Amino acid sequence: MKQLPGGICAAKGFRAAATHAGVKAGSSPDKNDLALIFSEAECNAAGMFTTNRVKAAPVYVTMAHLESGVLRGVVVNSGNANACCHLSHEHAEEVCAAAAQVLGVSPDDIAVGSTGVIGQELNAQAIIDALPGLAQNLTKDGSDAAAHAIMTTDTKKKEIAVSFEVGGKTVTLGGIAKGSGMIHPAMGTMLCYLTTDCAISTEMLGDALHQVVPRTFNRVTVDGDTSTNDTCLLMANGLAGNPLIEWKDEGYDAFVEALTEVCTYLAKHMAADGEGASRLITCTVSGSRSEDAAERLSKSIVSSSLVKAAVFGADANWGRVVCAMGYSRAPFRPECVEVRFASAAGEIQVCYEGMQVLFDEDKAKAILSQPEVEILVDVHEGHASATCWGCDLTYEYVHINGDYRT
Amino acid sequence: MKQLPGGICAAKGFRAAATHAGVKAGSSPDKNDLALIFSEAECNAAGMFTTNRVKAAPVYVTMAHLESGVLRGVVVNSGNANACCHLSHEHAEEVCAAAAQVLGVSPDDIAVGSTGVIGQELNAQAIIDALPGLAQNLTKDGSDAAAHAIMTTDTKKKEIAVSFEVGGKTVTLGGIAKGSGMIHPAMGTMLCYLTTDCAISTEMLGDALHQVVPRTFNRVTVDGDTSTNDTCLLMANGLAGNPLIEWKDEGYDAFVEALTEVCTYLAKHMAADGEGASRLITCTVSGSRSEDAAERLSKSIVSSSLVKAAVFGADANWGRVVCAMGYSRAPFRPECVEVRFASAAGEIQVCYEGMQVLFDEDKAKAILSQPEVEILVDVHEGHASATCWGCDLTYEYVHINGDYRT
């Protein structure tokens, strides 16, 4: 497997474009807010969506369009979530119909995504007006623009592509994602689009997505708020010419490995670029009797406001780590817990057998002052482990979210 | 029922004192950090404690001493949680033994409490050295000093007393509490001591506490972190001379009513004085089919970092309220939801039937700019309701917790 440029357009047959449609009134014309992704060949497709009981209209519409297991394109806007408004559903359908018309496909073949403020009416006309120009500008170089267009409070685009072999053919898989705030995915995550030229059945595509997403996007948290718009969409157009993957064979395993790499990359960068974040927190709980318990412990640690604030202050307050484990409802024996902090500046043990150990405070501070820090917990009970990603809690998070809507 | 001064010493037979013992090295001598509460008569007693799997030593020791259902006194320190250290258990026992000796009672009759940093060794000797002086200074005026001594990052003491009638006798019930950070009680809460001169059996006392705490303290959240030290202790010495409450009769109902008033007062003030808080958020979900669902919805709303940050910014971002309801896992129909914001500055409807309504942004901002704001949700499905309390998320919360330990 190797990384390559081109993101969602790296795989054969995919093109993309982005523009400033003016979805949010008064938004800067320099900030693109509308992206279009198109495959020249029909794609088998699978998606995972928010488990929030309140779902945005584009989530419902995309779920309906996915029932056939086939897609051709995606239209996605930032600046408005298109949720909880009287016309939300109609607007989502209208946007799909307009995109289908300019692309010469059926509305059922179009997925739609939105991200932004909830409860304010979407300027669907601005999107519809921008679509013909966008369709004309579809290009193999369009992934970068699309990755930028779906950003809201993100500060960096999240984009990746990898290639790997299936049955002697080179297959490419790429993706873009946005994260930042309201990130605590319970299935899929806030807008992620994955494209591949792999020949793979809809069933195997769905299985691969359901296998990989729980271990990647669902292990990220920024603020514990599961959004109404979470969507992770995977489209495969088969243009790589590999033997069709329709069983859980070597080809499937290679595909899952590549999908894991792509989703892990995007998930990790989503955590690192969490709203206001100054540090990426990677928490690995090992030595557990089950992966599920390790995941619950790890997620409880990276979700804790107190742990997040301590990492912001580079304060080796490991008691908060143990406390967050304790209220996770996952089984473990407090008297067996070992906690270490690590980063590019080194590694330090701060707790052993559930108790304080004497450690060098200056060294701990240096380790926690790095942009990427690791919290390593060993519960010394078994062989299962899980890694979750989060970020620190900063003044900037409060600043961004104290006045996001107005 | 009427409120009166005196806190935990308002009831007959209770005295208290506090001092600066120097529990935390380098702490200001002006800040008391040790409190002693004593009843001249034997008390029936009941307690509720943290459900965190990691429990501090004083929690285990107090649970053991409560097995007899009888207590005489409480010794409690701030500045150190006495958790996760090799000598934690021995220190908690030693402190009880020393308090018992100066008070002339059995160590089993003493409850012990601690609050502060986890994983740093308790200076038990400082406490033991301070106890003889503290015992000599026990006074009917000591509640105020005790309420202050148990504070950590709290900015205001939480103290109340009420009197009511049972069987023609005046009964008094008082309490003190501390909250501030690591507040998301799952049973009892971070240090609350309640005293009464009511004659009530241990069984009825336990029933009353288990009836009231889930609807008061367990409906408070500051930061979603359930502490390792949560303790809510209720002591009744019977000196009011009322007919013993040993059935769920009128006397029991009067007691529960008074206990609810006291606990609600303390819980609300704990939320209002949450770490860094600038506003108290009271969220009432009504019209639910069950109180449990209403509580889960309400708690999810007041726990949401995004809702809390929006309230800090006085931003009427009701979409975040609906979003937090959606991921609460409680049943409700999104299309029936009504949301209103209210405060001393008025009331405004912002969402009806799950959809946006046009509202006056300036009026909404004025309402949300008050020190106490209400989020009123009606799910229009039934007759059950629940109120939870929380606070906004501010720069100050991040400041306090970025460097709490060092």
Side-chain angles (χ1 to χ4, degrees), chain A residues 267-298:
Chain A
K268 218 174 132 173
H269 282 73
M270 203 175 283
D273 193 27
E275 271 177 349
S278 73
R279 305 189 208 290
L280 167 68
I281 304 174
T282 300
C283 177
T284 301
V285 173
S286 59
S288 180
R289 275 174 291 175
S290 79
E291 187 178 338
D292 177 62
E295 181 179 345
R296 277 197 286 163
L297 290 167
S298 179

Side-chain angles (χ1 to χ4, degrees), chain A residues 341-397:
Chain A
F341 293 123
S343 75
E347 186 173 321
I348 197 164
Q349 188 195 54
V350 290
C351 170
Y352 187 70
E353 293 183 342
M355 299 285 170
Q356 56 167 169
V357 292
L358 287 175
F359 62 88
D360 179 340
E361 289 278 356
D362 292 338
K363 186 179 172 194
K365 190 144 215 106
I367 288 168
L368 291 173
S369 296
Q370 295 290 315
E372 300 193 3
V373 305
E374 283 185 273
I375 301 174
L376 303 168
V377 175
D378 193 330
V379 293
H380 291 293
E381 287 190 307
H383 301 288
S385 69
T387 297
C388 290
W389 299 276
C391 59
D392 55 347
L393 175 62
T394 68
Y395 298 121
E396 192 58 18
Y397 178 86

Side-chain angles (χ1 to χ4, degrees), chain A residues 91-158:
Chain A
H91 282 157
E93 292 281 20
E94 282 165 25
V95 165
C96 283
Q101 194 178 14
V102 297
L103 296 170
V105 300
S106 154
D108 287 356
D109 294 336
I110 302 295
V112 58
S114 296
T115 176
V117 65
I118 296 166
Q120 287 183 357
E121 197 166 304
L122 178 71
N123 185 350
Q125 197 55 50
I127 295 174
I128 292 165
D129 292 345
L131 279 169
L134 212 51
Q136 284 186 324
N137 290 330
L138 284 168
T139 158
K140 287 301 285 178
D141 300 325
S143 180
D144 176 76
H148 278 97
I150 63 174
M151 287 163 58
T152 51
T153 51
D154 305 64
T155 66
K156 290 171 195 150
K157 70 166 181 178
K158 286 98 190 164

Side-chain angles (χ1 to χ4, degrees), chain A residues 173-330:
Chain A
L173 170 70
I176 60 173
K178 64 99 31 193
S180 218
M182 212 176 258
I183 296 296
H184 187 78
M187 196 180 256
T189 186
M190 192 75 193
L191 302 199
C192 173
Y193 300 101
L194 302 160
T195 57
T196 181
D197 48 21
C198 190
I200 179 167
S201 69
T202 300
E203 192 189 345
M204 287 300 105
L205 208 57
D207 282 3
L209 195 65
H210 282 81
Q211 186 172 334
V212 171
V213 166
R215 292 179 174 182
T216 54
F217 293 117
N218 289 6
R219 288 185 177 172
V220 170
T221 188
V222 169
D223 50 16
D225 285 88
T226 302
S227 124
T228 50
N229 291 49
D230 286 359
T231 295
C232 182
L233 207 61
L234 172 57
M235 294 163 67
N237 64 13
L239 292 182
N242 59 291
L244 180 71
I245 299 172
E246 49 185 344
W247 302 100
K248 291 194 173 160
D249 53 13
E250 280 176 22
Y252 178 84
D253 291 344
F255 186 77
V256 165
E257 190 188 341
L259 189 61
T260 301
E261 169 140 341
V262 164
C263 291
T264 301
Y265 175 92
L266 294 171
K268 218 174 132 173
H269 282 73
M270 203 175 283
D273 193 27
E275 271 177 349
S278 73
R279 305 189 208 290
L280 167 68
I281 304 174
T282 300
C283 177
T284 301
V285 173
S286 59
S288 180
R289 275 174 291 175
S290 79
E291 187 178 338
D292 177 62
E295 181 179 345
R296 277 197 286 163
L297 290 167
S298 179
K299 200 157 196 180
S300 187
I301 293 166
V302 293
S303 299
S304 159
S305 292
L306 290 168
V307 170
K308 288 153 60 77
V311 170
F312 170 62
D315 180 12
N317 198 334
W318 61 268
R320 293 179 179 172
V321 172
V322 176
C323 178
M325 294 171 68
Y327 62 70
S328 70
R329 301 190 187 180

Side-chain angles (χ1 to χ4, degrees), chain A residues 51-55 83-88 117-121 181-183 186 223-228 275 300 303-307 309-320 322-327 329-334 352-357 359 361 365 393-406, chain B residues 51-55 83-88 117-121 181-183 186 223-228 275 300 303-307 309-320 322-327 329-334 352-357 359 361 365 393-406:
Chain A
T51 52
N52 197 309
R53 185 176 278 257
V54 179
K55 291 176 178 59
C84 301
C85 292
H86 293 283
L87 296 174
S88 289
V117 65
I118 296 166
Q120 287 183 357
E121 197 166 304
M182 212 176 258
I183 296 296
D223 50 16
D225 285 88
T226 302
S227 124
T228 50
E275 271 177 349
S300 187
S303 299
S304 159
S305 292
L306 290 168
V307 170
V311 170
F312 170 62
D315 180 12
N317 198 334
W318 61 268
R320 293 179 179 172
V322 176
C323 178
M325 294 171 68
Y327 62 70
R329 301 190 187 180
F332 74 101
R333 286 181 296 175
Y352 187 70
E353 293 183 342
M355 299 285 170
Q356 56 167 169
V357 292
F359 62 88
E361 289 278 356
K365 190 144 215 106
L393 175 62
T394 68
Y395 298 121
E396 192 58 18
Y397 178 86
V398 180
H399 175 68
I400 292 169
N401 287 302
D403 194 17
Y404 171 69
R405 197 181 51 101
T406 46
Chain B
T51 52
N52 196 309
R53 186 177 279 257
V54 179
K55 290 175 178 58
C84 302
C85 293
H86 293 283
L87 296 174
S88 288
V117 65
I118 296 166
Q120 288 183 357
E121 198 166 304
M182 211 176 259
I183 297 295
D223 49 16
D225 285 88
T226 302
S227 124
T228 51
E275 272 177 348
S300 187
S303 298
S304 159
S305 292
L306 290 168
V307 170
V311 170
F312 169 61
D315 180 11
N317 198 332
W318 61 269
R320 294 178 179 172
V322 176
C323 178
M325 295 170 68
Y327 62 70
R329 302 191 186 179
F332 73 102
R333 288 181 293 174
Y352 188 70
E353 294 183 343
M355 299 285 171
Q356 54 168 171
V357 292
F359 62 87
E361 290 277 357
K365 191 147 214 101
L393 175 62
T394 67
Y395 299 120
E396 192 57 20
Y397 179 86
V398 180
H399 175 69
I400 292 168
N401 287 302
D403 194 19
Y404 171 70
R405 197 181 52 101
T406 47

Side-chain angles (χ1 to χ4, degrees), chain B residues 271-285:
Chain B
D273 193 27
E275 272 177 348
S278 74
R279 306 192 208 290
L280 167 68
I281 304 174
T282 301
C283 177
T284 301
V285 173

Side-chain angles (χ1 to χ4, degrees), chain B residues 127-140:
Chain B
I127 295 174
I128 292 164
D129 291 346
L131 280 168
L134 212 51
Q136 283 186 326
N137 290 330
L138 284 167
T139 157
K140 287 302 285 178

